[in-house]
Amino acid sequence: VQPEGPYFLGGWSMGGAVAFEMAQQLRIRGQRVAVIALLDSYAPVYEERRSKDDLMVLKNFARDLGVALDQFNLPDNLRGLEQDELLVRLLEHAIAAEIVDPSFGVKQFRSLFQVFKSNNRAFESYRPHTYPDLIQLFIAADKPASVAEAQTKGWSELAAEVETHVVPGDHYTFLRNPNVEKLAEELTACLQETPAIMEWTI
């Protein structure tokens, strides 16, 4: 699509870490990265043996879909249920909430969960290096101040400079109307302030 820089990269959540590593690899190849926009992303911190069990990953998967497991009619001991049974129930709730299409089958949903698990493993095993330039960090406003501070500090330890922008909403709703309009305004302002506005890719 664009064989030469400057590149404009962005990612939400774990996608921010992907954009961050893309920028590192492009710089190694002598390419210019004009902007890295991290949308409510958390800085990766490598720790050995940090992997979560499947139940914890499933809870995070449900949360990412916008369905809390406490909405389910589940027994107190969730570990007594098979993973497939939990996935079937989660899919039913996701369809009822119109999060996924009714035609979405269990096999597809299981594959989606496997991708989610793989992404988790990749994020946990990623060993980031310091980035020698500015990154733009967009933080969802609906979180404790201590969490937002830790989020900013995490990236500040990995980049020469971090410019933060606070956007209304939480980790999910700041990507939806009306909050996404504010995010678009902030992101557009960042792009317009960059002298390298030519052909770009996000």
Side-chain angles (χ1 to χ4, degrees), residues 9 11 14 22 38 40 54 56 58 60 63 87 116 128 163 165-166 168 172 175 193 195 200-201:
L9 306 171
M14 179 193 158
M22 287 172 67
L38 308 181
D40 210 43
D54 279 0
M56 182 60 67
L58 183 63
N60 291 338
R63 188 179 61 194
L87 280 172
F116 185 85
E163 186 172 315
H165 312 265
V166 179
Y172 305 96
L175 291 175
E193 290 170 7
W200 51 272
T201 300

Side-chain angles (χ1 to χ4, degrees), residues 139-159:
I139 296 180
D142 294 352
K143 67 181 66 171
S146 59
V147 174
E149 182 181 353
Q151 189 175 2
T152 303
K153 182 181 177 184
W155 285 112
S156 295
E157 292 175 353
L158 290 176

Side-chain angles (χ1 to χ4, degrees), residues 56-176:
M56 182 60 67
V57 175
L58 183 63
K59 286 181 178 179
N60 291 338
F61 179 58
R63 188 179 61 194
D64 263 20
L65 288 171
V67 179
L69 282 184
D70 57 14
Q71 297 174 0
F72 292 23
N73 183 21
L74 296 176
D76 291 336
N77 182 13
L78 290 178
R79 296 179 193 283
L81 293 178
E82 293 292 331
Q83 178 181 291
D84 276 0
E85 185 178 348
L86 285 170
L87 280 172
V88 168
R89 294 195 191 187
L90 176 56
L91 176 58
E92 290 170 353
H93 280 263
I95 289 173
E98 299 183 345
I99 294 168
V100 300
D101 190 90
S103 65
F104 208 72
V106 175
K107 185 176 180 180
Q108 291 170 289
F109 201 60
R110 189 183 299 114
S111 295
L112 188 63
F113 178 59
Q114 293 304 320
V115 170
F116 185 85
K117 284 174 62 177
S118 295
N119 287 346
N120 267 273
R121 286 195 297 270
F123 185 78
E124 290 178 355
S125 62
Y126 173 51
R127 300 185 188 215
H129 297 283
T130 303
Y131 185 71
D133 209 340
L134 170 71
I135 61 174
Q136 302 286 347
L137 177 62
F138 297 81
I139 296 180
D142 294 352
K143 67 181 66 171
S146 59
V147 174
E149 182 181 353
Q151 189 175 2
T152 303
K153 182 181 177 184
W155 285 112
S156 295
E157 292 175 353
L158 290 176
E161 185 180 357
V162 177
E163 186 172 315
T164 58
H165 312 265
V166 179
V167 178
D170 62 26
H171 186 66
Y172 305 96
T173 61
F174 96 143
L175 291 175
R176 302 174 190 153

